[in-house]
Amino acid sequence: MIPASGTDPSGLRPPDPPMRLALIRLVAVAALLVTVAYLAWRGTSTLNLDAWYLSVPLLVLEIHAAVGLGLFAYSLWDVDRHPGRGRLDPEPRIAVLIPTFNEGPEILIPTISAAVALEPAHETWVLDDGGRVEIRELAEALGANYVARTDRRHAKAGNVNNALSMIDADIIGVLDADHVPLPGFLKNTLGYFADPRVAVVQTPQEFYNVTSFEHGAGEAYGEPFHEQTLFYRLLEPGKNRWDAAFWCGTNALVRVSALREVGGVATETVTEDIHTTIRLHRRGWKSVYHNEVLARGLAADDAAQYQLQRNRWGTGAMQVLRTENPLFVRGLTIRQRLAYAATLLGWFDSWRTLGLLLLPPAVLLTGQIPILADGRVFVTFFAATYALQQGAMYLLGRGAYRPILSVVFELVRMTPNLVATTTLFVPRAPKFRVTPKGRMASRRWRVEPPKPLRLILGLSVIGAAVYLFSAAGLFPMEYEEEWAARGALLWLVFNALLVWLAIGRVRSLRYAAERRAAVRFAVDRPATLDGEPCVAHDLSVGGALLATRRRLHGDRHMVSVDLGSGEIPLWAVVRSSRQGPEGAIFYAMEWEPGQYPARGELARELFTGRYPVVGTVKTPWGELLRSELGSLVGRLGRVGLPRRRPAGLPG
C-alpha cells in the first residue's frame, strides 16, 4: 500500500503570501491596462507614415511584446495550485525507463543505480538505442533490465514505444540518461494517480553541474539559479490552474493505459513530450505538475550545446504547430489553448529581439524617425509604460526573472530560434540530435559566437559612428527629430552592451568544452590508499583526487572511501600527481573499468549527500590572506600555512 501524502514536502516551493499575491496581480493588471492605452496612442497619434518601413514594424514589435506580457501574466497568475494526492489500492505495477543512445558509463551509473534503489517496488529498464555490450553489462550489474532494438526509428519516442510493447506496468517513470532521481521520486508523486483521469505527473528539471553555461549567480527556491529556473519552478506549475502542465520528457510519471489510448508516445515531432501531452489533453486526460525537485541532471555545459538543444526544441515546437496545433485542434479548453500558446508562441520572441536590435542602427543610418510626437510627452508615456511592464515581469517572476541575464540568454539563443521558426513555413525533416554530455574535448577551446550577433555589433558601431560624425559636422546626415535620434543612439548603445555581454559569455573559457567524463564533488573525507590513511579531496563516478604523505609505486592501487554508510572499495590507476604543501602529495586517480556495483554505491552517496561541485566553494578572504602569508613565509625558509591543506591529512 502506498501511503497517502500528508503535508507538502519541504522541497515544494512555498506559496505566495496573500498580500504579495494581491500586489503581483494588481501591478500586472495595471501594466496591461497602461500598455493598451499606450499602444492605442501610438497607433493613432505617433506613426510617421513617411517612414512606414520603420514605424509600422516598431509598432508591431511593441504589440507583440504586449501580447507576450499578457500571456506571461496568464501563465503566472497562480503558481501555487497543488492537486490532491490519495491512496493507490491496489498498488500499481511500476517500471522506470531510462532511454539512452550514446551516453557513457560515467553518465549512466548514477542514474541507473539511483533508479534501481527507488521505492516502492518496481522494475528498472535501460533502453539502449546504441546496442552496446558495455551498457548491457552495466545494467545487469546494477540490477536493471536491458533492452536494445535493431530498428532505431523515431529516436527517444520510438525507444520508449518499443519498451511499452515489452513491459508489464500500469505506470512508467521516464528519466533521461543523465537525470539522477532522488529517493522520493516515486513516493512523492504516485499519489496523484489516485485520480483515475491523471495521465502525467511532471517534476522540475534541476542540474548538478552547477558551473554550466546555463547557470547564473545565487540561488532560487533552494537551488542554484539557472536559465530554466523560471520555466520549471514557476511557468510549468502555473499551468496546474489551467490543467495544461505538460510532459517535459524526463523526471515524469505517465499512466500506461493513457499512453496506449493515444497510440503511444508521439513520433511525428522531435518534441514528443509536449506533443503527446496535447493528445492526452484532447482525450480528456489530466496532467499534474509537482513542484518539488526529485531528480537532477546535466545542463548544457557550453554555448554550442545550449544552442543545439534550443534549436531542437524550437524545431519540435514548429512541428507541433503544423501537425497538431493546440490553438485549433478539437478537444482542448480555451484555458488549455492559451497555456499552450504561451509556450509555443514564445519561440517567435527571437524575431522581436532581432527587430529591436536592427531598428536603432536603421534610424541612425537612414535619418528617418519612426515616431512623430513631442519628445517630452513620448518619453514620459513610454518610460511609465516600460517601467510598469518591467515591474510586472519582475514581480510575476517571483525572484526567477533576472532582466539582464534573461536578455543575454535570449540573444545567445536568438540565432537557433530564428532558424527553428523558419521550419514552420519551410518544413524540413529534422534529425533528432542528442545533446552531448560528459567529456567532449581533450583541451579547452572557445565557442564561436553566432554570426548574427557579430554582424549586429558591427552594424551598431557603424550606426553610432554615422550619428557622431554628423553631429560633429563631418557627415551629411540630418534627422527630423533630434530627440528621437539621440534616443535611438542610447537604445543602440544599450543593445550593443547586451550583445557584447552575450558574445563574451559564449566565448568565455569558463564555459569551454568539457574535458571530464563526470562532475567532481568536493568531499574532504578520510579514505585509505592500499590500506594506508589518506584524504579523498574530490570524488566522482570516474575517479578521485587523493592526498597522502606516501609516495606511490606502480599504477594500480586499492582505494577505499567512506561517505557515511560504510566503506566503498575501488581499484584505481594513477593518472597524474603533484607535490603539495608540507609534504602532501596529490594523486589524480581514475577508477578501473567495470566495478559497477561499487561505483553505483559511490554515486548514490555522492548525489544524495549534496556535496558541492569542485570549484563552487569560495575561500573566505581571511583564510585566503592567511594562506598567502603562510606561503610567503614558507618560501623564506620557515614553516608556513599550506595554501590548500586537505582536511584530516595524516601527520
Side-chain angles (χ1 to χ4, degrees):
M1 178 74 68
I2 298 173
S5 301
T7 58
D8 285 342
S10 59
L12 285 169
R13 178 192 170 275
D16 291 318
M19 291 299 293
R20 179 170 176 79
L21 181 60
L23 174 64
I24 291 170
R25 291 176 173 178
L26 177 64
V27 174
V29 171
L32 289 170
L33 291 175
V34 170
T35 298
V36 170
Y38 166 79
L39 290 174
W41 174 69
R42 282 276 290 111
T44 59
S45 306
T46 69
L47 292 183
N48 181 6
L49 296 181
D50 290 336
W52 62 268
Y53 47 87
L54 296 177
S55 59
V56 173
L58 177 56
L59 180 61
V60 169
L61 294 176
E62 290 182 299
I63 293 172
H64 184 271
V67 172
L69 176 61
L71 291 173
F72 193 69
Y74 177 82
S75 299
L76 298 174
W77 192 254
D78 178 6
V79 298
D80 300 321
R81 188 68 60 94
H82 301 304
R85 287 170 283 178
R87 295 181 180 274
L88 289 175
D89 191 10
E91 291 186 359
R93 297 162 299 171
I94 306 164
V96 176
L97 310 183
I98 304 171
T100 178
F101 173 59
N102 59 3
E103 295 84 2
E106 287 80 8
I107 301 296
L108 284 163
I109 287 172
T111 303
I112 299 172
S113 60
V116 169
L118 290 171
E119 295 179 347
H122 65 284
E123 293 182 340
T124 300
W125 289 76
V126 177
L127 317 179
D128 183 18
D129 257 2
R132 295 161 291 173
V133 174
E134 179 185 28
I135 303 305
R136 174 189 288 274
E137 294 173 352
L138 164 60
E140 293 173 350
L142 294 179
N145 300 296
Y146 175 91
V147 61
R149 56 186 184 133
T150 56
D151 179 3
R152 296 203 297 264
R153 286 185 301 172
H154 306 308
K156 177 181 174 181
N159 200 358
V160 173
N161 285 337
N162 181 65
L164 289 176
S165 67
M166 300 180 177
I167 65 174
D168 183 18
D170 302 307
I171 295 170
I172 58 170
V174 182
L175 295 166
D176 279 354
D178 60 302
H179 277 73
V180 183
L182 298 179
F185 176 66
L186 295 177
K187 292 189 294 185
N188 292 4
T189 53
L190 281 168
Y192 292 109
F193 290 96
D195 181 343
R197 295 307 298 169
V198 168
V200 175
V201 177
Q202 177 66 53
T203 70
Q205 287 191 32
E206 281 292 338
F207 308 101
Y208 60 86
N209 58 332
V210 296
T211 57
S212 80
F213 180 81
E214 294 193 47
H215 280 84
E219 292 189 351
Y221 310 121
E223 298 287 337
F225 178 82
H226 55 86
E227 187 261 347
Q228 299 183 67
T229 295
L230 177 65
F231 178 79
Y232 283 111
R233 301 315 300 271
L234 291 170
L235 289 169
E236 262 280 61
K239 296 179 187 297
N240 274 337
R241 180 182 179 89
W242 319 118
D243 189 27
F246 57 82
W247 181 18
C248 298
T250 184
N251 307 355
L253 273 63
V254 187
R255 192 186 296 270
V256 173
S257 60
L259 268 184
R260 297 193 193 283
E261 183 178 317
V262 297
V265 181
T267 59
E268 294 86 351
T269 65
V270 294
T271 47
E272 70 287 333
D273 39 24
I274 188 172
H275 193 179
T276 302
T277 314
I278 292 170
R279 291 181 172 175
L280 291 168
H281 283 151
R282 293 184 65 191
R283 293 293 190 98
W285 289 97
K286 298 179 182 179
S287 60
V288 172
Y289 192 83
H290 180 77
N291 196 11
E292 177 188 12
V293 176
L294 294 174
R296 293 184 176 88
L298 289 171
D301 262 315
D302 60 34
Q305 289 183 48
Y306 178 81
Q307 292 174 97
L308 170 64
Q309 194 177 65
R310 294 320 187 267
N311 177 261
R312 185 178 75 242
W313 294 350
T315 301
M318 298 306 105
Q319 290 177 307
V320 169
L321 289 174
R322 285 201 320 271
T323 60
E324 202 153 357
N325 193 321
L327 297 177
F328 306 114
V329 293
R330 294 180 179 179
L332 299 178
T333 66
I334 294 295
R335 303 192 308 174
Q336 288 174 327
R337 295 182 197 278
L338 286 174
Y340 278 116
T343 297
L344 296 174
L345 298 183
W347 293 99
F348 294 95
D349 289 354
S350 290
W351 289 98
R352 182 178 77 234
T353 301
L354 178 63
L356 295 176
L357 289 172
L358 293 176
L359 271 167
V363 169
L364 297 178
L365 291 173
T366 64
Q368 298 296 314
I369 304 301
I371 299 170
L372 292 180
D374 179 81
R376 292 182 180 179
V377 173
F378 174 80
V379 169
T380 301
F381 206 169
F382 172 79
T385 304
Y386 185 76
L388 263 177
Q389 290 173 342
Q390 289 299 309
M393 293 182 70
Y394 182 80
L395 289 173
L396 287 164
R398 296 163 170 86
Y401 171 70
R402 303 188 178 182
I404 299 299
L405 193 60
S406 295
V407 175
V408 168
F409 276 112
E410 173 61 33
L411 291 170
V412 174
R413 63 176 177 262
M414 180 183 72
T415 301
N417 282 8
L418 293 175
V419 173
T421 53
T422 60
T423 63
L424 178 63
F425 310 103
V426 185
R428 295 192 297 271
K431 181 180 179 181
F432 187 97
R433 293 185 292 172
V434 177
T435 305
K437 301 177 181 73
R439 181 184 290 127
M440 288 173 291
S442 58
R443 62 180 181 85
R444 297 185 75 76
W445 47 272
R446 298 182 190 274
V447 176
E448 286 300 311
K451 288 182 180 179
L453 290 185
R454 289 183 290 177
L455 292 173
I456 287 168
L457 193 59
L459 188 61
S460 298
V461 171
I462 295 172
V466 167
Y467 175 80
L468 294 175
F469 286 159
S470 66
L474 301 176
F475 192 84
M477 176 69 71
E478 295 184 0
Y479 299 98
E480 191 170 350
E481 294 283 355
E482 184 59 28
W483 70 265
R486 291 178 181 176
L489 178 66
L490 292 175
W491 182 7
L492 179 145
V493 170
F494 182 66
N495 285 350
L497 287 174
L498 292 173
V499 171
W500 182 264
L501 288 174
I503 290 175
R505 190 177 184 92
V506 170
R507 287 184 51 79
S508 173
L509 281 176
R510 178 183 174 188
Y511 308 114
E514 182 56 63
R515 296 175 297 163
R516 298 185 178 92
V519 173
R520 297 183 301 150
F521 298 93
V523 296
D524 288 321
R525 297 280 298 187
T528 61
L529 182 56
D530 295 331
E532 297 292 329
C534 69
V535 172
H537 193 58
D538 306 336
L539 285 175
S540 77
V541 181
L545 177 65
L546 306 178
T548 180
R549 294 187 183 280
R550 184 168 59 91
R551 188 164 295 280
L552 301 181
H553 300 284
D555 290 332
R556 191 170 187 261
H557 303 275
M558 169 57 71
V559 178
S560 183
V561 297
D562 187 349
L563 297 179
S565 298
E567 292 191 351
I568 304 173
L570 284 157
W571 286 103
V573 295
V574 176
R575 288 306 180 203
S576 65
S577 64
R578 60 180 173 86
Q579 187 70 46
E582 291 192 341
I585 305 174
F586 290 87
Y587 287 96
M589 316 289 288
E590 182 178 358
W591 310 131
E592 288 191 340
Q595 307 186 89
Y596 295 132
R599 291 168 73 185
E601 184 180 354
L602 175 64
R604 288 195 300 273
E605 294 286 343
L606 288 174
F607 280 86
T608 57
R610 294 303 306 274
Y611 292 99
V613 172
V614 170
T616 60
V617 179
K618 292 181 170 56
T619 305
W621 282 104
E623 182 181 334
L624 203 60
L625 181 60
R626 287 194 300 273
S627 297
E628 291 302 319
L629 289 174
S631 177
L632 177 61
V633 171
R635 286 197 296 269
L636 294 175
R638 289 175 287 177
V639 178
L641 295 173
R643 268 187 282 181
R644 195 180 184 191
R645 183 189 179 104
L649 185 66

